Amino acid sequence: MSHDELRPHLVHILDNARLMTLLQPVLDLEEGRMMGYEALSRGPSNSPLHAPQALFRVAEQHGMLAELDWACVRMALKTFAQLDLSGRLFVNLSPSSLLDASFAPDAIVAALDQVGLTSSQVVIEITENAAALDYGNLRQAVSLLRAAGIEVAIDDLGEGFSSLRLWSELKPAFVKIDKHFIADIHRDPHKIQFVRSIRQLAEGAHSTVIAEGVENVSELAVLKDLGIRYAQGYLIGRPSPVPVRLPSREVMACLQSGRVSVFPTPRGRDGLHVSAGKLVVPAPCVAPSTPSQDVLELMMLNPDQHAVAVVADGIPVGIIHRPAVLDRFIGRYGRELYGRKPCSDFMDADPLIVDKATRMTELSELVVKKGKTAFTQGFIITTEGRYLGLGSGFDLMREVTEMQIVAARYANPLSGLPGNVPIQEHMERLLVNEQTFVTAYFDLDQFKPYNDVYGFRRGDNIIQLLAHILQESCVPELDFIGHIGGDDFVVLFQSLDWEVRCHGMLVRFDRECLALFNPEHVEAGGYHSEDRRGVMAFHALVTLSIGAVLVDPTHFHQYQEVARAASEAKRMAKRIDGSSLFIDQRRMPFGRKLADEEPLAETDCI
């Protein structure tokens, strides 16, 4: 059906109050209770306007968006009050409705009074769905709401181009991170760094972060460990006419667990050599003589384009930022006054221009020197002096963040496992959270003679075999696997059956490593090679030693203390012939009862 055919359906819905409010809970991760609910509006189930996208699109097409928003708000307030729910009610408003005179703070307070609610119980959630935003008037409207005791929130941070500026301009009490950055966050180190950065920005801006789209326990556990205060999503509760009031047992178990999430780590360090060319966004440009109204139309046709480059004979001479265009034409006679004037009249004649080969670190310094405008409104990228495209501060921030986390989390090039820096980082997180865990140090015995006989390439194969066994034998969500270097590995176990797993690794290594020896060496149980003093000696086949130490908050407080204890346990394990597990008996590791239920392998030595 066309928009015109759908208009009577919309009028019928509004005239007969046929809207329905669904409520989705927002969880307080620190206190384990619902801090509030977000109101989500739907049309009648038998109407072609049941879906919110169709409902609001038709209202906007017919200039009825403010009327629809008011109907949604009134129904949300009524539903929330009738259910006698605790906490805050988040109601969505478009920027245009927020600026509509009908939404003056007095009118909202009056609507609250009618249903017995107070201004402190409602939060206006601003949805960024407009191509142009009047930031000045929005600031004033939010200020008036705040004076009336009504807080505001910014929805879907990270989804639209203007969301960061909207945050900066309005200084909301709450900031909602778009669900894109939450989905599979437990598998994506870049999303973790993005969310961590947003939380840090929010602390400085006196805002509180709400993570949207939480759908599984692994995502929730990571958000909890990142210090995110509030979350919502299907795991916590689906939108419903009668929403859940208490978190599920599964959610509460996650919140009350002392376990520390194992954050994923990026592979490789290619990001350190990224240049500005990676940021290029191909975008149309204009000549200095182009009429201003043509630039406006170009902006309208490309709503995601944050600026337009002004180019003369292929050489960029200026840049026109989107706000400059919109501000010029927002007035009543904007087109008549400025439409025919050349765009060079209001272009920025001193833009930041960089070649595509510019390193990302150098570009970051140039943006900082240029000032806030270059970050929020972008810069021009060239190739051999000629216009290539545009770059944005948001994309620059994303790439620089990626470079920083890759540089900070060194991955071993042979195994791809995290190296010393991320090992220490994870161990310190365990210690800070006072979590009891086991540090197991893995080391290959008789490895040097093997390299001497078979060569370094075969030596790499046996190291990769051990890395593979470790990865397949541990629980990714609980156990952190690190590659210290060479043939030394460490696993930070939170699995209660860690001892059973260690015995399984020993048995598997002894069995699978035989394929990496010549048959005659397997039959003889070893081979002859020079020892460390240059004397020919018989060396046994490579075996695996594991030194395990219980790390509990009573006895260990610093990374160095754990490292020394684990090294001593490994040294004791290497004194034992064959593959062996040595457990530091001074502190009985947690989960031992689970291990005692299994028959001990011959390699067990405790």
Side-chain angles (χ1 to χ4, degrees), residues 105-106 109 112 119-120 142-151:
D106 290 346
V109 171
L112 289 167
S119 58
S120 62
V142 168
S143 177
L144 293 173
L145 286 173
R146 195 171 288 130
I150 301 172
E151 294 289 359

Side-chain angles (χ1 to χ4, degrees), residues 12 45 70 77 103 122 124 145 228 232 238 273 325 334 336 359 381 386 396 402 413 426-427 432 530 564:
H12 177 74
S45 58
W70 244 128
L77 297 178
F103 278 93
V122 69
I124 301 298
L145 286 173
I228 299 302
Q232 70 180 103
R238 290 176 176 267
H273 306 291
V325 177
E336 290 79 2
R359 290 291 178 90
I381 301 176
R386 302 186 67 81
L396 173 63
E402 180 178 342
H426 186 74
M427 188 182 293
V432 166
E530 289 186 357
R564 283 195 295 268

Side-chain angles (χ1 to χ4, degrees), residues 188-358:
D188 192 327
H190 308 305
K191 288 183 179 180
I192 286 177
Q193 185 61 27
F194 180 88
V195 172
R196 179 188 280 135
S197 299
I198 292 300
R199 181 187 61 78
Q200 292 170 345
L201 285 172
E203 288 178 354
H206 304 291
S207 299
T208 304
V209 171
I210 300 175
E212 295 185 297
V214 181
E215 296 192 356
N216 58 62
V217 173
S218 297
E219 293 168 351
L220 182 64
V222 168
L223 293 171
K224 181 190 72 170
D225 286 354
L226 286 173
I228 299 302
R229 179 66 186 271
Y230 302 117
Q232 70 180 103
Y234 285 175
L235 174 70
I236 296 158
R238 290 176 176 267
S240 171
V242 183
V244 296
R245 295 172 184 257
L246 297 173
S248 67
R249 291 182 180 179
E250 181 183 32
V251 168
M252 287 306 299
C254 176
L255 298 183
Q256 294 171 357
S257 170
R259 291 174 177 172
V260 173
S261 301
V262 178
F263 290 168
T265 56
R267 304 297 177 95
R269 301 183 64 195
D270 295 338
L272 296 176
H273 306 291
V274 175
S275 64
K278 190 174 181 180
L279 303 178
V280 174
V281 177
C285 58
V286 296
S289 59
T290 302
S292 297
Q293 63 185 11
D294 290 355
V295 178
L296 174 65
E297 292 173 3
L298 181 63
M299 288 285 192
M300 294 299 100
L301 289 173
N302 299 275
D304 293 329
Q305 189 170 337
H306 58 273
V308 172
V310 182
V311 178
D313 299 323
I315 308 299
V317 296
I319 191 170
I320 301 174
H321 305 300
R322 189 179 193 88
V325 177
L326 300 179
D327 289 347
R328 180 157 296 228
F329 287 96
I330 202 170
R332 186 172 181 181
Y333 302 104
R335 285 183 178 271
E336 290 79 2
L337 291 174
Y338 307 109
R340 297 182 180 278
K341 292 186 177 181
C343 64
S344 57
D345 283 4
F346 63 100
M347 73 177 184
D348 178 356
D350 185 29
L352 176 60
I353 302 175
V354 297
D355 187 81
K356 67 177 183 179
T358 305

